[in-house]
């Protein structure tokens, strides 16, 4: 099959304000298990996109930097070769796909992901932290909240690995529509939930194989870099550096 | 041999399966791949979706939304691309609106209290019963000639809803007040004084070249987070020749300051002095237009501001004199420059002085009425849409609490509460809770069991905004006339009715003047009448030959706008720069209470109204990454000197009260300041909010701005002491190793794909 498209994203750090709109948009779109307080305390929060914060400098010359981190959909994905059951593979549109009904939960992929973009379902949806009552033990008690689950996205169960899909369901919906109408997908027509919500326009999504797409143009910007570029993972997510007119040599701390 | 996994599988697939089993018969290419031959669940779409336009009510700005509805259930909220305020974008709070609709702890039916107040013992009653009781109680008061003993408390309202509520209160003779915990009344007063308008002007962030912001947290929940974030993106990387430069002046590095090019820590409450010092430099160095400068100093020239020479101001504000000069020069050079002031400078006893001094700089820099500066909004297209019921200032609330408590000058016999939670937000020092005990009947129209509703005797639950009709003039306006229309995107999920419909029903039952003032049967009728007026204007984005098609397009597009209808050019009179600075007053001496308490709006929960939604509880605070909890921020060096560590449970004590919360070591806060987010510390409001964290508003001193009487939430000093306990803060920080890319040590790894 010809590889027609290669989906990719650009994250402009100079626009990102760390407002968290993308984080919640992703939660609402992808039926992600809500992380209760003790789940966060255990450092097992379920997020497909997170905004990392870095301190630079010392008071009073201190700055905070924000970097949204999501699955980088690497061309050379370290998570793919270690899966014993081929639950994660690279599809012909450049997406690193997680097949839930193949996953047996070895968590090798998460161990091998340098971006820590993969999260594991340690809990059943309704037994996650029952004392917190985020999902009460009696699943029916939290019932109305089932109503907003997205019917296009599989509800994952305990023991499954999951991660950002670039909102595969949205890609499918647009490509199906385009096929029905006998046309190509227009640039900007597919928008993952995070890109759709991003108020500052820091996130841009599109086809990297189309040289005229906005994402291709931005990926060629002089500010462009990849996270952990030296690992040779060839991410499909390109970052654009923050512009700092007062930059000074400081070492970052986390 | 270099072999990728994919190559290996292709080879093994074609040799083993292809060559041996099906000798001579090559399997189709797609079977070589690891993709499943059947359609994966990930690839199937089962739903047919409809998108309905409406208006977001998670904050007061009024962004346009579109809601995805599948089989009668709302599934996703997104920004409406046609709405001029947010143009398709939305914030975390807007996205989380679905949880307010399908919340397990929503009030599902009308309730009547059976047990003692606050014990949560209620009996389910029918709507007829509830309405009958409400109407008969109101009629009783009327018959006794004590209609004035009825009080109606709402959130800040504007447009048709404000029109209805004020008309109802007037016709019935009730007292009406509006409540907002982090009131913007000081800011609104300052803007009114300088720009002559009740609504927010357009702060043209997108086209500004230089922004000097005094605690205006415009990238956080302040006025309109989405609108200003959108503009900020353009300010940084829009199609312009120069990247905008942002300087943030405030005592604590907020999310906005984190994104600024410079953060200027300032002594709390001295922002106005700093602004006047900048004015001094601008005038002294002839960087401002001399005529404007003369007018604004009342002819006194720079001598009029002699007390604000940078050297003097430096002593008061803690900002070095050279830095004040540098900022003033940059402001003058990099025009259009925009100067903003927000919650920080507003929340002191000299709040109004601070804000007028700050915003007056825009005149000195000739930024008013210019693109990239401060632009004005036109009046709404119809008179009823211009109605406003803004938040009543704190002092008025203090007087009201006193009236409840002392029953002087007259008692309140019936208190009706809608979309306001003063029992949570008002500092306990005003004793609002004590006052409520003297009110014989409390009636709530809330969707949730919040603190005030928990005291109610009768509850007539409101539908959420996704189930009700409404409209909203975006505030801040986009610079031209625009109206957002809110329609129910789903049917009411529970047995709830929207407050406005209930109000109209009650007016109808009361009859007489109330019925005359509010002749509509439902809110939709009133809304259609407004739409009729817009239709007859025959201008703007929707022009149709008949009303029905106008109405349908109006709902389909989520509103109406006329980009030609901008504000008329007004001759702006130049305000006189404040010459009398007032030093801020604080509750507590610096000896007993060594720290300023800086209260800021939580990123997810804002002033506390979002605390019941788990998505907002788990929205990480951008700079600390903390979720689900409250915390107090302290400079690590100060903490070390006090022997305090992160996750220590500490007592934060003001002259008015004390609370316990966790300590977070915040490297970007001055040693003499501690900071706390609002939003947590609910005793009610559902399973996700109750008994979680602490509410900093609960230890605030009842101090108000000298003029206008707004709450001075920055005027409280505190001391911090150990409890000896520890509690791990739930935060994202430290969950994973850093992937900070730019200065990462380079480890050469052979590219696996090299062939």
């Amino acid at each position: 099959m010809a590889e027609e498209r290669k989906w990719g994203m650009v994250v402009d750090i100079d626009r990102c304000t760390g407002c968290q709109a993308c984080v919640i948009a992703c939660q609402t779109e992808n039926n992600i298990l809500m992380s209760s307080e003790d789940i966060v305390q255990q450092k097992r929060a379920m997020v497909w996109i997170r905004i990392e914060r870095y301190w630079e400098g010392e008071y009073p010359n201190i700055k905070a930097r924000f970097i949204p981190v999501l699955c980088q959909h690497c061309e050379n994905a370290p998570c793919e070769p270690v899966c014993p059951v081929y639950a994660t593979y690279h599809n012909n549109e450049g997406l690193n796909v997680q097949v839930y009904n193949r996953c047996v939960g070895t968590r090798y992929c998460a161990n091998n992901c340098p971006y820590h973009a993969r999260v594991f379902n340690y809990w059943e949806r309704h037994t996650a932290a029952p004392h917190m009552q985020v999902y009460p033990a009696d699943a029916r008690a939290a019932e109305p909240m089932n109503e907003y689950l997205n019917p296009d996205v599989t509800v994952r169960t305990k023991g499954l690995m999951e991660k950002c899909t670039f909102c595969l369901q949205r890609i499918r919906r647009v490509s199906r529509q385009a096929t029905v109408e006998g046309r190509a997908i227009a640039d900007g027509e597919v928008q993952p939930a995070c890109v759709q919500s991003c108020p500052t326009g820091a996130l841009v999504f599109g086809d990297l194989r189309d040289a005229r797409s906005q994402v291709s143009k931005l990926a060629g910007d002089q500010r462009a870099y990849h996270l952990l570029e030296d690992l040779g993972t060839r991410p499909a997510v390109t970052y654009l550096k923050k512009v700092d007119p007062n930059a000074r040599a400081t070492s970052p701390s986390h | 041999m270099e072999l990728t996994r994919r190559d290996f599988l292709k080879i093994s697939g074609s040799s083993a399966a292809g060559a041996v089993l099906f000798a001579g018969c090559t399997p189709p290419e797609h079977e070589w791949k690891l993709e499943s031959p059947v359609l994966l669940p990930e690839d199937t779409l089962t739903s047919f979706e409809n998108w309905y336009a409406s208006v977001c009510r998670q904050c007061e700005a009024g962004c346009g939304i579109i809601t995805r509805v599948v089989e009668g259930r709302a599934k996703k909220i997104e920004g409406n691309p046609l709405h001029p305020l947010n143009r398709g974008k939305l914030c975390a709070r807007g996205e989380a609106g679905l949880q307010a609709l399908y919340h397990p702890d929503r009030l599902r039916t009308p309730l009547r209290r059976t047990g003692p107040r606050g014990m949560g013992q209620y009996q389910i009653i029918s709507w007829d019963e509830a309405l009958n009781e409400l109407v008969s109680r109101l009629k009783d008061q009327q018959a006794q000639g004590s209609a004035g003993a009825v009080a109606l408390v709402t959130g800040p309202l504007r447009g048709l809803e404000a029109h209805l509520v004020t008309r109802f209160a007037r016709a019935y003779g009730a007292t009406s007040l509006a409540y907002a915990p982090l009131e913007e009344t000081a800011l609104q007063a300052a803007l009114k004084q300088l720009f002559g308008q009740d609504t927010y002007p357009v702060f043209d962030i997108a086209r500004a070249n230089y922004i000097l912001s005094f605690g205006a947290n415009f990238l956080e929940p302040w006025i309109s987070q989405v609108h200003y974030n959108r503009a900020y993106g353009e300010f940084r990387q829009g199609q312009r020749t120069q990247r905008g430069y942002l300087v943030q002046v405030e005592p604590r590095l907020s999310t906005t300051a984190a994104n600024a090019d410079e953060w200027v820590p300032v002594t709390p409450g001295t922002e106005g002095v700093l602004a006047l010092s900048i004015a001094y430099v601008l005038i002294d160095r002839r960087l401002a237009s001399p005529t404007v400068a003369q007018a604004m100093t009342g002819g006194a020239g720079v001598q009029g501001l002699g007390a604000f020479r940078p050297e003097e101001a430096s002593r008061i504000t803690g900002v070095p004199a050279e830095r004040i000069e540098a900022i003033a020069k940059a402001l003058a050079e990099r025009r259009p420059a925009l100067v903003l002031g927000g919650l920080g400078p507003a929340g002191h006893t000299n709040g109004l002085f601070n804000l007028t001094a700050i915003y007056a700089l825009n005149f000195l820099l000739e930024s008013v009425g210019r693109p990239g500066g401060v632009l004005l909004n036109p009046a709404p297209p119809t008179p009823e849409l211009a109605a406003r019921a803004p938040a009543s200032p704190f002092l008025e609330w203090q007087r009201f609490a006193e009236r409840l408590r002392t029953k002087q000058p007259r008692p309140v016999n019936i208190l009706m509460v809608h979309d306001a939670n003063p029992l949570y937000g008002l500092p306990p020092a005003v004793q609002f809770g004590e006052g409520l005990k003297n009110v014989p009947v409390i009636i709530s129209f809330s969707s949730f069991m919040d603190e005030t509703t928990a005291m109610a005797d009768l509850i007539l639950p409101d539908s959420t905004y996704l189930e009700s009709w409404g409209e909203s003039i975006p505030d801040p306006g986009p610079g031209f006339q625009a109206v957002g229309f809110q329609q129910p995107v789903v049917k009411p999920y529970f047995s709830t009715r929207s407050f406005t419909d209930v109000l109209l029903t009650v007016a109808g039952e009361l009859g007489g003047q109330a019925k005359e003032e509010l002749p509509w049967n439902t809110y939709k009728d009133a809304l259609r009448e407004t739409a009729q007026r817009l239709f007859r204007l025959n201008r703007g984005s929707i022009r149709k030959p008949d009303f029905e098609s106008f109405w349908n397009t109006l709902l389909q597009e989520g509103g109406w706008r006329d980009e030609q209808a901008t504000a008329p050019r007004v001759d702006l009179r130049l305000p006189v720069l404040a010459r009398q600075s007032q030093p801020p007053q604080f509750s507590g001496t610096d000896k007993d209470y060594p720290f300023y308490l800086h209260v800021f709006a939580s990123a997810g929960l804002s002033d506390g109204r979002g605390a019941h939604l788990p998505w907002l509880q788990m929205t990480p605070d951008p700079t600390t990454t903390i979720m689900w909890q409250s915390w107090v921020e302290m400079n690590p060096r100060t903490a070390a000197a006090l022997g305090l560590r992160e996750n220590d449970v500490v007592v934060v004590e003001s002259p008015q009260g004390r609370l316990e919360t966790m300590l977070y070591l915040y490297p970007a806060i001055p040693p003499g300041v501690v900071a706390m987010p609002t939003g947590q510390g609910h005793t009610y409001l559902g399973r996700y909010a109750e008994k979680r964290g602490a509410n900093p508003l609960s230890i605030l001193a009842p101090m108000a701005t000298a003029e206008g009487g707004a709450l001075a939430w920055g005027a409280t000093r505190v001391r911090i002491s150990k409890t000896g306990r520890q509690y791990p803060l739930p935060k994202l920080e430290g969950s994973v190793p850093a992937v900070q890319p730019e200065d990462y040590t380079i480890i050469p790894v052979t590219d696996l794909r090299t062939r």
Side-chain angles (χ1 to χ4, degrees):
Chain A
M1 234 185 279
E3 299 192 1
E4 290 165 2
R5 286 186 285 266
K6 177 171 165 39
W7 297 111
M9 193 186 282
V10 166
V11 182
D12 189 342
I13 299 297
D14 203 28
R15 282 181 186 247
C16 177
T17 63
C19 76
Q20 313 284 345
C22 54
V23 177
I24 302 304
C26 177
Q27 294 275 335
T28 65
E29 172 75 16
N30 289 305
N31 301 341
I32 301 175
L33 186 104
M34 287 186 289
S35 305
S36 64
E37 183 179 1
D38 55 346
I39 290 175
V40 181
Q41 283 168 334
Q42 292 166 26
K43 309 286 183 202
R44 285 173 175 176
M46 303 278 287
V47 281
W48 287 7
I49 179 168
R50 62 178 186 269
I51 296 181
E52 300 203 340
R53 189 269 295 118
Y54 294 90
W55 292 116
E56 281 180 21
E58 291 266 334
Y59 177 82
N61 297 313
I62 187 163
K63 281 176 181 158
R65 296 270 181 263
F66 301 109
I67 302 181
V69 180
L70 65 161
C71 172
Q72 308 283 307
H73 292 268
C74 312
E75 256 180 64
N76 235 338
C79 56
E80 291 175 13
V82 294
C83 178
V85 292
Y86 309 116
T88 176
Y89 72 97
H90 222 73
N91 83 356
N92 59 359
E93 294 192 344
L95 299 177
N96 174 272
V97 184
Q98 179 75 14
V99 185
Y100 301 128
N101 56 10
R102 285 182 190 158
C103 179
V104 294
T106 64
R107 292 186 275 138
Y108 294 167
C109 54
N111 274 336
N112 229 27
C113 173
Y115 306 102
H116 297 267
R118 292 176 162 265
V119 285
F120 188 67
N121 284 276
Y122 285 94
W123 306 271
E124 285 295 349
R125 203 150 256 269
H126 60 279
T127 57
H131 61 288
M132 295 290 301
Q133 292 188 304
V134 173
Y135 295 97
D138 178 4
R140 281 166 302 173
E143 215 160 43
M145 281 208 183
N146 304 341
E147 299 282 17
Y148 61 64
L149 290 177
N150 186 349
D152 295 342
V153 178
T154 311
V155 173
R156 283 81 58 189
T157 180
K158 182 178 169 180
L160 287 186
M161 188 58 72
E162 62 181 63
K163 58 157 201 90
C164 160
T165 63
F166 270 169
C167 286
L168 187 58
Q169 68 282 4
R170 291 184 173 221
I171 298 176
R172 290 283 173 266
R173 192 172 284 278
V174 171
S175 48
R176 189 175 68 177
Q177 191 64 27
T179 310
V180 168
E181 290 169 16
R183 60 177 176 85
I185 298 174
D187 183 34
E189 200 178 347
V190 181
Q191 283 192 326
C194 53
V195 176
Q196 199 286 325
S197 72
C198 179
T200 60
L203 306 178
V204 177
F205 185 80
D207 183 6
L208 287 169
R209 204 149 274 153
D210 174 8
R212 289 161 303 170
S213 71
Q214 203 196 348
V215 73
S216 294
K217 285 179 192 155
L218 286 172
D221 193 279
Q222 54 173 354
R223 294 189 286 128
Y225 69 94
H226 294 115
L227 290 188
L228 307 181
E229 194 155 12
D230 41 291
L231 296 180
T233 52
R234 297 180 178 228
V237 181
T238 305
Y239 288 77
L240 303 182
K241 275 188 192 182
K242 175 108 186 152
V243 179
D244 188 350
N246 312 311
R248 63 184 80 202
T250 48
S251 57
S253 63
H254 190 46
Chain B
M1 183 188 168
E2 278 169 347
L3 197 63
T4 63
R5 190 194 56 160
R6 207 167 303 166
D7 288 342
F8 169 76
L9 289 160
K10 278 184 186 174
I11 292 161
S12 58
S14 54
S15 61
V20 182
L21 291 176
F22 307 103
C25 156
T26 316
E29 192 189 6
H30 68 264
E31 287 192 11
W32 296 359
K33 302 221 169 187
L34 278 170
E35 288 167 59
S36 177
V38 295
L39 211 55
L40 292 169
E42 291 68 42
D43 292 341
T44 50
L45 297 175
T46 53
S47 62
F48 287 92
E49 53 183 26
N50 285 308
W51 291 83
Y52 295 108
S54 191
V55 173
C56 181
R57 287 301 172 91
Q58 293 281 79
C59 79
E60 273 107 48
C63 288
I65 53 171
I66 48 172
T67 310
R68 181 180 184 225
V69 177
V70 178
E71 292 179 7
R73 297 287 178 258
K75 298 292 182 183
K76 180 77 169 64
I77 303 173
E78 290 184 358
N80 180 354
L82 294 175
H83 198 278
L85 189 63
N86 57 322
R87 296 195 190 275
K89 301 304 184 181
L90 213 54
C91 65
R93 286 172 296 155
E95 295 273 352
L98 291 175
Q99 284 191 327
L101 173 60
Y102 297 122
H103 198 289
D105 297 328
R106 256 185 80 182
L107 295 170
R108 304 177 177 206
T109 55
L111 298 170
R112 183 191 288 128
R113 182 169 66 84
T114 52
R117 265 193 190 163
M119 296 307 286
Q121 291 160 13
Y122 287 94
Q123 166 197 8
I124 293 173
I125 54 173
S126 71
W127 268 100
D128 285 344
E129 231 177 316
L131 285 169
N132 280 341
E133 183 170 338
L134 172 62
V135 171
S136 66
R137 283 186 186 281
L138 289 175
K139 277 186 175 164
D140 284 352
Q141 293 297 321
Q142 250 177 349
Q144 292 163 19
S146 50
V150 173
L152 176 55
V153 170
T154 62
L157 301 174
R158 54 176 195 270
L160 201 51
E161 204 177 350
H163 185 67
L164 253 58
V165 167
T166 44
R167 270 193 175 199
F168 178 85
R170 196 176 53 217
Y172 183 84
T175 316
S176 117
L177 287 118
Y179 181 71
L182 295 178
E183 52 179 297
E184 303 280 8
T185 52
L187 177 62
Q188 282 157 358
L191 293 172
K192 170 95 180 167
Q193 200 174 320
L194 293 173
F195 305 111
Q197 284 195 327
D198 287 321
T199 52
Y200 293 113
V202 180
F203 301 134
D204 196 356
I205 290 165
R207 288 184 285 181
N209 194 355
Y210 190 100
I211 298 177
L212 175 62
S213 153
F214 292 83
N217 304 126
F218 61 89
L219 301 178
E220 296 156 71
W222 182 70
I223 308 185
S224 174
Q225 185 177 16
V226 183
H227 183 62
Y228 295 144
N229 264 280
R230 253 196 98 255
Y232 172 86
E234 295 303 300
F235 169 76
R236 288 307 200 192
Q237 291 291 333
Q239 298 298 320
R240 323 159 3 128
T241 49
Q242 205 169 8
R243 176 181 180 272
Y245 195 89
L246 170 63
V247 177
Q248 182 81 2
V249 180
E250 61 188 346
R252 162 197 180 260
L253 181 126
S254 65
T255 304
T256 311
N259 287 294
D261 298 290
E262 278 182 48
W263 168 50
V264 184
V266 64
T267 307
T270 65
E271 290 90 344
V273 172
L274 184 61
L276 289 184
S277 185
I278 290 169
Y280 175 91
V281 180
L282 286 173
I283 298 170
D284 188 45
R285 306 288 141 79
R286 304 196 185 287
L287 297 170
S289 137
T291 46
V292 177
Q294 279 298 321
M296 288 182 68
T297 52
V302 76
Q303 284 78 23
L305 294 169
F308 303 102
R309 288 203 320 277
E311 299 75 35
E312 303 290 325
S314 171
R315 212 169 28 77
I316 300 167
T317 61
V319 181
E322 313 82 69
R323 201 160 190 189
I324 299 176
E325 302 221 4
I327 291 171
K329 282 176 191 159
L331 268 175
E333 279 165 19
R334 298 195 57 169
R335 294 188 194 186
L338 176 62
V339 185
L340 302 174
L343 286 176
H348 289 282
T349 52
N350 59 352
L352 196 65
F353 157 75
N354 284 337
L355 289 173
T356 40
I358 289 163
Y359 280 98
L361 287 178
N362 287 304
F363 289 95
L364 218 48
L365 293 161
E366 296 169 299
S367 300
V368 181
R370 296 250 176 106
V374 182
L375 301 166
L376 298 185
N377 273 306
T382 68
E384 74 276 15
L385 289 174
R388 293 173 70 81
S392 315
F394 171 71
L395 223 52
E396 211 168 302
W397 274 99
Q398 202 172 15
R399 274 198 295 271
F400 184 66
E402 204 177 308
R403 175 179 163 194
L404 295 184
R405 217 168 52 241
T406 61
K407 303 187 181 182
Q408 296 298 330
R410 62 186 311 173
V412 171
N413 294 338
I414 298 183
L415 181 68
M416 297 194 282
V417 191
H418 168 244
D419 192 23
N421 190 3
L423 193 53
Y424 167 80
L426 283 173
V430 305
Q431 295 180 292
F432 185 76
E434 292 297 305
L436 280 187
K437 288 181 185 157
N438 286 346
V439 182
V441 182
I442 303 173
I443 298 166
S444 171
F445 302 93
S446 174
S447 304
F448 288 91
M449 188 62 83
D450 58 38
E451 282 78 359
T452 313
T453 303
M455 299 299 136
D457 307 287
L458 185 66
I459 303 174
L460 292 86
D462 192 8
S463 298
T464 63
Y465 65 100
L466 296 170
E467 304 160 315
S468 341
W469 290 96
E471 97 306 320
S472 175
I473 301 276
D475 193 19
F480 49 83
Q481 286 181 341
V483 192
F485 268 75
Q486 175 193 334
Q487 63 176 326
V489 299
V490 289
K491 281 184 186 167
Y493 191 76
F494 296 117
S495 176
T496 59
R497 291 190 193 177
S498 86
F499 166 70
T500 40
D501 279 344
V502 171
L503 196 69
L504 291 175
T505 310
V506 169
E509 295 283 325
L510 286 174
Q513 207 184 339
K515 179 72 188 163
E516 272 168 41
E517 289 276 338
L518 304 168
W520 309 278
N521 289 325
T522 63
Y523 194 59
K524 188 184 173 186
D525 295 343
L527 210 57
R528 275 174 70 93
E529 210 173 294
T530 295
Q532 284 273 12
R533 292 204 184 92
L534 285 177
F535 168 67
R536 283 196 295 270
L537 289 176
N538 196 26
R539 60 180 169 87
S541 57
I542 308 171
R543 281 186 228 193
K544 294 285 172 191
D546 62 299
F547 176 68
E548 283 309 316
S549 48
F550 176 86
W551 172 252
N552 288 338
T553 316
L554 191 65
L555 297 184
Q556 198 178 1
E557 298 189 354
W560 173 96
R561 65 198 180 281
D562 185 358
E563 301 189 16
Q564 306 307 316
T566 51
R569 281 198 70 82
V570 279
D571 286 329
L572 294 157
R573 62 200 163 78
L574 295 176
V576 174
L577 279 171
R579 270 166 286 174
Q580 288 293 312
S581 98
Q582 308 148 321
Q585 306 292 315
F586 290 93
S587 163
T589 60
D590 49 357
K591 190 166 156 287
D592 292 333
Y593 299 93
F595 299 102
Y596 293 105
L597 177 65
H598 180 80
V599 178
F600 62 96
S602 154
L605 317 179
S606 70
D607 54 23
R609 74 182 85 173
H612 57 311
L613 307 183
W615 274 332
L616 296 183
Q617 284 281 359
M618 53 164 282
T619 299
D621 174 67
T623 51
T624 63
T625 73
I626 296 170
M627 315 163 170
W628 288 102
Q629 268 300 346
S630 62
W631 65 94
V632 58
E633 295 170 1
M634 186 188 265
N635 188 299
R637 290 201 180 154
T638 320
L642 292 171
L644 294 171
R645 288 172 302 156
E646 188 149 310
N647 297 336
D648 273 355
V649 181
V650 294
V651 178
V652 183
E653 194 174 359
S654 79
Q656 276 69 35
R658 50 182 279 159
L659 59 83
E660 285 185 10
T661 191
M662 278 71 76
L663 188 79
Y664 180 83
L665 300 182
Y666 198 73
I669 191 164
V673 181
V674 293
M676 260 192 93
T678 54
Q680 298 284 19
H682 283 275
T683 42
Y684 294 91
L685 204 63
R687 66 188 71 176
Y688 306 105
E690 280 167 15
K691 300 173 187 70
R692 172 175 295 290
N695 177 12
L697 301 174
S698 71
I699 56 167
L700 289 192
M703 290 175 77
T705 58
E707 295 155 89
L711 177 64
W713 51 80
T716 305
R717 296 188 68 105
V718 294
R719 61 176 168 231
I720 307 272
S721 52
K722 249 190 219 183
T723 60
R725 283 176 283 128
Q726 279 231 323
Y727 185 89
L729 277 168
K731 57 179 182 175
L732 217 52
E733 177 184 63
S735 304
V736 297
V739 293
Q740 165 71 312
E742 291 169 54
D743 304 284
Y744 209 81
T745 328
I746 303 275
I747 309 159
V749 174
T750 319
D751 185 342
L752 299 170
R753 291 271 293 232
T754 315
R755 285 156 211 260

